Amino acid sequence: MNVNESRTEAADGPPEVLTRWTGFLLNWVAAHAREAYEQVAAQVGLKPQHLGVLTQIQHGPMIQARLSDRLRVFKPVMVTLVNELEAMDLAERRPHISDRRAMEVHILPAGLDKVREVERLSEQASAEFFGPLTSEEQQILHDLLTKLAKDGPTGAWQPLR
């Protein structure tokens, strides 16, 4: 295979010899999906991790340590993410009402606006990304990924410690 054939193959999809492995294909597609999601987040000046936090707290505050567990984010990284969200006036920490040791993270109105904006942009990006699939195929893929996420080979996923 010459260099031009190699480039064409890369532009058209994964190397054919590797497509026999579902795990490789899943990783390939996930990498492209991650890039697309990062681009959506960047359009509103955020990282995907910021959006994860804002989405988790959009319907009510959550203790910061619980956010770390829920989003599988190392606790010091969560501190940085919340610091950044506070600096952007999108969220704020408040002492927990009954546990003086705990801090709750609350979304602010500007944070809710960002979530809504990302939801709108995500719909457009998803339509383009999943365009090769029919609506039925998209639902099947979603259902299968949900099943793997909840009941993967090792059972329910455990938070990082």
Side-chain angles (χ1 to χ4, degrees):
M1 178 182 329
N2 68 37
V3 173
N4 289 334
E5 288 173 347
S6 169
R7 285 187 187 135
T8 301
E9 188 175 90
D12 293 340
E16 185 67 33
V17 69
L18 296 172
T19 61
R20 65 183 178 195
W21 292 310
T22 303
F24 177 85
L25 288 172
L26 186 58
N27 187 56
W28 180 275
V29 173
H32 291 285
R34 184 174 31 260
E35 288 174 15
Y37 192 67
E38 287 170 353
Q39 290 174 3
V40 167
Q43 289 180 51
V44 298
L46 299 175
K47 300 175 196 171
Q49 297 89 341
H50 292 136
L51 292 171
V53 172
L54 292 174
T55 301
Q56 284 294 304
I57 63 174
Q58 71 179 330
H59 299 294
M62 190 176 287
I63 293 173
Q64 186 170 308
R66 174 75 175 124
L67 273 170
S68 293
D69 292 343
R70 187 72 188 109
L71 295 172
R72 299 178 52 98
V73 174
F74 193 50
K75 287 178 178 33
V77 173
M78 182 57 68
V79 170
T80 300
L81 291 171
V82 175
N83 286 346
E84 291 169 349
L85 290 169
E86 284 186 316
M88 292 183 272
D89 293 323
L90 302 177
E92 69 179 5
R93 288 181 186 92
R94 298 179 196 159
H96 188 273
I97 196 164
S98 61
D99 183 351
R100 293 188 339 218
R101 298 167 297 156
M103 294 298 286
E104 285 185 326
V105 182
H106 294 253
I107 196 165
L108 297 175
L112 285 171
D113 291 343
K114 290 282 187 183
V115 170
R116 286 188 207 105
E117 188 175 357
V118 167
E119 285 173 351
R120 182 182 55 77
L121 293 170
S122 290
E123 284 180 26
Q124 295 169 353
S126 290
E128 182 179 324
F129 188 85
F130 294 106
L133 303 177
T134 66
S135 295
E136 183 180 337
E137 289 170 330
Q138 289 178 34
Q139 187 61 53
I140 290 168
L141 176 63
H142 180 84
D143 292 346
L144 291 172
L145 290 173
T146 299
K147 183 176 182 175
L148 281 173
K150 289 182 178 179
D151 305 316
T154 58
W157 297 106
Q158 299 299 313
L160 297 174
R161 303 242 184 253

